[in-house]
């Protein structure tokens, strides 16, 4: 396959007499004249030793090079960071998690820009690295393919499959006196048996499904667990296929249309996916110049059947989904039921509908229900709006029996104080726990609250209390837990005005969340309200707080494609 470099970005660093100094660096790395004359393909890896989610990514990225080379390209690998939520959870480190999404997107962007790469294959494993990598692809708009590193295999404890969520919940059981310390230690040693990202339909697997549904990943590539040898074939195939995309100039913004985003939101709801998708889809859409906010996502959630029996609300993990036929098996029945648009193009060069046509429905698999007989008729994730959250909020209802809750507020101004009260068992049944000043700006960084929610569940209080925050919840959270409340407390949203004892009503069926306090009383409280300061007055967290926008729009830190005057791919 031969390419004309005259319109490719890499011509700026490799073509013409004036680029002799640039080429001298390539010769220093052992490259040949032929390799320098070929298109340069960025192979971006979020691989590192921080957590098992990321430990196989560099090896997969190296195999990807083989596919690039076989199809006439010159691969250039580089790395970016991750912050792994399971390790950052429950302490100040979680403030860095959402910020890492922006750092990942920015770092991939500046590396590709600085070196004038012509195409991009991105490998990611842990939560924020998936949307961060896909955001960079949409921002740069060079031909791109997203590859998920794969999930972890389930652990086994007392003959049952377990995940890291079982360990978080066992902490609550231990605090309640129902789990001896020795049993907790035994569980922590077996819950995560090797490489890969968390196995349930938490944020990583949710966004991996999004990668396929939105068309940026090869069909049925992302659910193969990290230890499986098939991941080598997937990595090699991505390297080969990105060269085909470069040949026909098929770019991420051709693929990720509004209809493709709607398909992705359908898949999130149908699989009972992470509420974090309601933050990441709007952010990705902004990179493509598409208006697609929390309310757009929530509207799609309302009319989507919940069909995947996946943890934390259900029974199965990603390995089971892979063996059932992958997310394309779920999309097969969604399309037949009229819930997906078949027309968006994908990285195969074919439409989503054409890709799905190649899938045969397996009636004996157990993970996906037919849309005619769903687990529940509407989605596993629900958007809420009301006097407590005029800019919206989100709740994951997959597996929940109780969809309405009215209780009295118990207010905390940070997660640590709430977790301490839970540990002391100082939370009464019927309480609505408010954790505020944890939003994108106020945190800063919009922390996840899995330690607190899992401890509540471990104490048997999971659906006996509700928890509301302007921060986030892990995709692994279960119970009546509402996040992304907007406006956030730092912007004097209604959540900043709640006081202990106020009545709060939630109806996840009707999609409402209301603070039952008279407007005159709230007006007096607003007059007395004073903005808070935090301990992060310099560095990355300070800079993030200065730039970040509301959760409703994806917690964006820049104007997105709508403000562009040119696209990198066209330099």
């Amino acid at each position: 396959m031969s390419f004309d470099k005259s319109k490719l970005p890499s011509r700026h660093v490799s073509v013409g007499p004036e680029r002799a100094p640039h080429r001298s660096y390539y010769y220093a790395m052992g490259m040949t004249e032929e390799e320098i004359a070929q298109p340069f393909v960025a192979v971006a890896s979020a691989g590192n030793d921080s957590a098992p989610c990321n430990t196989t990514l560099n090896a997969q990225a190296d195999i990807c090079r083989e596919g690039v080379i076989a199809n006439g390209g010159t691969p250039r690998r580089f790395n970016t960071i991750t912050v792994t939520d399971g390790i950052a959870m429950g302490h100040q480190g979680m403030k860095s998690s959402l910020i890492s999404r922006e750092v990942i997107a920015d770092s991939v962007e500046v590396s590709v820009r600085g070196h004038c790469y012509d195409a991009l294959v991105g490998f990611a494993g842990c939560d924020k690295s998936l949307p961060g990598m896909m955001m960079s692809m949409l921002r740069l708009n060079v031909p791109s393919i997203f590859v998920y590193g794969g999930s972890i295999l389930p652990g086994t404890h007392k003959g049952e499959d377990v995940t890291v969520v079982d360990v978080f919940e066992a902490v609550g059981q231990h605090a309640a006196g129902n789990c001896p310390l020795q049993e907790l230690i035994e569980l922590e040693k077996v819950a995560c048996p090797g490489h890969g990202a968390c196995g349930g339909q938490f944020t990583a697997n949710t966004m991996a499904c999004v990668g396929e549904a939105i068309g940026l990943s090869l069909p049925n590539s992302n659910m193969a667990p990290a230890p499986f040898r098939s991941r080598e074939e997937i990595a090699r195939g991505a390297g080969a296929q990105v060269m085909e995309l470069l040949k026909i100039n098929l770019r991420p913004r051709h693929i990720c249309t509004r209809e493709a985003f709607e398909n992705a939101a359908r898949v999130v709801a149908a699989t009972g996916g992470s509420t974090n998708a309601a933050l990441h889809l709007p952010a990705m859409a902004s990179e493509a110049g598409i208006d697609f906010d929390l309310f757009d996502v929530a509207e799609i959630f309302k009319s989507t059947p919940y069909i995947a029996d996946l943890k934390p609300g259900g029974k199965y993990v990603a390995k089971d989904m892979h063996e059932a036929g992958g997310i394309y098996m779920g999309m097969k029945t969604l399309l037949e039921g009229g819930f997906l648009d078949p027309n968006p193009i994908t990285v195969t060069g074919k439409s989503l509908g054409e890709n799905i046509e190649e899938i045969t429905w397996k009636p004996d698999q157990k993970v996906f229900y037919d849309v005619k007989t769903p687990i529940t008729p509407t989605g596993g994730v629900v958007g809420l709006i009301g006097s407590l959250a005029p800019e919206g909020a989100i709740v994951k209802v997959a597996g929940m029996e109780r969809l309405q809750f009215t209780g009295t507020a118990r207010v905390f101004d940070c997660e640590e104080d709430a977790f301490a009260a839970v540990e002391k068992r100082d939370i009464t049944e019927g309480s609505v726990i408010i954790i505020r000043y944890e939003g994108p700006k106020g945190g800063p960084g919009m922390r996840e609250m899995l330690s607190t929610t899992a401890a509540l569940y471990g104490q048997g209080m999971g659906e006996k209390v509700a928890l509301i925050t302007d921060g986030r919840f892990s995709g692994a959270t279960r119970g009546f837990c509402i996040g992304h409340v907007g406006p956030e407390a730092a912007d004097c949203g209604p959540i900043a005005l709640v006081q202990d004892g106020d009545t709060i009503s939630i109806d996840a069926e009707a999609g409402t969340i209301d603070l039952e306090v008279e407007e005159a009383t709230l007006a007096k409280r607003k007059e007395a309200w004073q903005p808070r300061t935090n301990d992060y007055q310099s560095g990355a967290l300070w800079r993030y707080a200065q730039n970040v926008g509301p959760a409703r729009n994806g917690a964006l830190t820049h104007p997105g494609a709508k403000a562009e005057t040119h696209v990198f791919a066209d330099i």
Side-chain angles (χ1 to χ4, degrees), residues 78-426:
F78 63 87
N79 280 57
T80 185
I81 66 147
T82 58
V83 172
T84 298
D85 291 4
I87 291 175
M89 194 73 67
H91 54 89
Q92 296 290 304
M94 181 47 75
K95 292 180 185 289
S96 298
S97 169
L98 184 58
I99 296 172
S100 76
R101 184 190 75 179
E102 316 311 309
V103 173
I104 291 161
D106 292 351
S107 65
V108 174
E109 176 198 356
V110 296
S111 187
V112 171
R113 281 186 184 278
H115 301 107
C116 295
Y117 294 139
D118 303 315
L120 170 61
V121 183
F123 290 78
C126 192
D127 295 1
K128 308 308 167 295
S129 58
L130 283 80
M133 196 67 76
M134 288 188 274
M135 286 163 67
S136 72
M137 293 172 177
L138 287 158
R139 187 182 303 175
L140 293 159
N141 206 31
V142 292
S144 302
I145 294 179
F146 173 73
V147 185
Y148 180 44
S151 71
I152 200 168
L153 296 173
T156 304
H157 184 62
K158 295 184 175 178
E160 298 286 330
D161 282 356
V162 291
T163 71
V164 71
V165 178
D166 295 285
V167 189
F168 275 103
E169 291 183 3
V171 171
Q173 292 167 356
H174 175 67
N178 298 328
C179 177
L181 180 58
Q182 189 55 43
E183 186 169 331
L184 179 60
I185 292 169
E186 287 173 13
L187 178 61
E188 73 179 60
K189 289 181 177 179
V190 299
C192 299
H195 300 292
C198 295
Q201 194 65 345
F202 315 150
T203 305
N205 284 325
T206 298
M207 295 310 295
C209 290
V210 162
E212 292 192 39
I214 211 164
L216 284 176
S217 296
L218 295 171
N220 274 336
S221 60
N222 287 344
M223 286 303 107
F228 281 23
R229 287 296 297 273
S230 59
R231 295 233 60 88
E232 295 181 11
E233 184 183 334
I234 291 162
R236 194 176 291 109
Q241 184 60 24
V242 82
M243 297 305 298
E244 296 290 341
L245 300 186
L246 192 57
K247 182 180 179 183
I248 62 174
N249 196 29
L250 183 58
R251 300 180 178 186
R253 295 187 197 174
H254 298 143
I255 291 166
C256 297
T257 60
R258 183 180 176 87
E259 292 76 18
F261 277 99
E262 290 172 357
N263 284 341
R266 289 269 185 217
V267 165
V268 172
T271 59
S274 169
T275 54
N276 281 309
L279 198 68
H280 300 323
L281 286 173
M284 289 169 60
S286 176
E287 302 286 2
I290 296 168
D291 291 326
F292 194 67
D293 69 7
L294 173 65
F295 293 125
D296 295 311
V297 175
E299 196 60 34
I300 291 164
F301 287 174
K302 273 185 198 173
S303 59
T304 307
Y306 169 43
I307 62 166
D309 191 8
L310 295 166
K311 287 179 180 284
K315 188 186 301 183
Y316 298 107
V317 295
K319 172 180 173 285
D320 303 311
M321 196 202 304
H322 173 64
E323 290 170 351
I327 191 59
Y328 263 77
M329 187 60 57
M331 290 199 291
K332 178 85 173 173
T333 187
L334 286 171
L335 180 61
E336 288 172 356
F339 293 100
L340 293 182
D341 187 325
N343 295 311
I345 200 77
T346 72
V347 291
T348 63
K350 302 175 185 175
S351 70
L352 184 72
E354 287 173 317
N355 290 344
I356 292 173
E357 276 178 18
E358 297 176 13
I359 303 299
T360 302
W361 175 257
K362 294 182 183 176
D364 57 340
Q365 58 80 29
K366 303 262 196 307
V367 174
F368 294 104
Y369 286 57
D370 191 295
V371 289
K372 296 169 189 164
T373 54
I375 300 169
T376 56
T378 54
V381 185
V382 172
L384 306 173
I385 190 169
S387 59
L388 183 59
E391 288 186 0
I394 202 92
V395 61
K396 185 171 185 172
V397 298
M400 280 174 51
E401 294 179 10
R402 184 176 185 180
L403 296 180
Q404 290 82 25
F405 196 102
T406 298
T408 53
R410 180 77 186 279
V411 181
F412 300 94
D413 286 347
C414 67
E415 186 194 9
E416 284 84 354
D417 290 351
F419 185 73
V422 171
E423 270 205 313
K424 291 177 194 166
R425 309 209 75 190
D426 187 24

Side-chain angles (χ1 to χ4, degrees), residues 475-546:
T477 290
R478 55 181 179 152
F480 224 130
C481 299
I482 296 156
H484 304 197
V485 168
E488 63 173 290
D491 286 333
C492 197
I495 194 171
L497 309 177
V498 181
Q499 294 183 0
D500 285 343
D502 287 350
T503 299
I504 293 171
S505 295
I506 308 151
D507 188 333
E509 242 174 345
T512 58
I513 178 167
D514 291 303
L515 173 60
E516 296 183 4
V517 175
E518 291 183 4
E519 285 188 25
T521 302
L522 288 178
K524 285 182 184 175
R525 292 180 189 177
K526 190 167 186 176
E527 281 179 23
W529 179 81
Q530 294 291 323
R532 304 261 172 151
T533 57
N534 59 56
D535 293 336
Y536 300 93
Q537 296 303 308
S538 66
L541 274 70
W542 176 87
R543 186 167 58 246
Y544 181 83
Q546 308 312 304

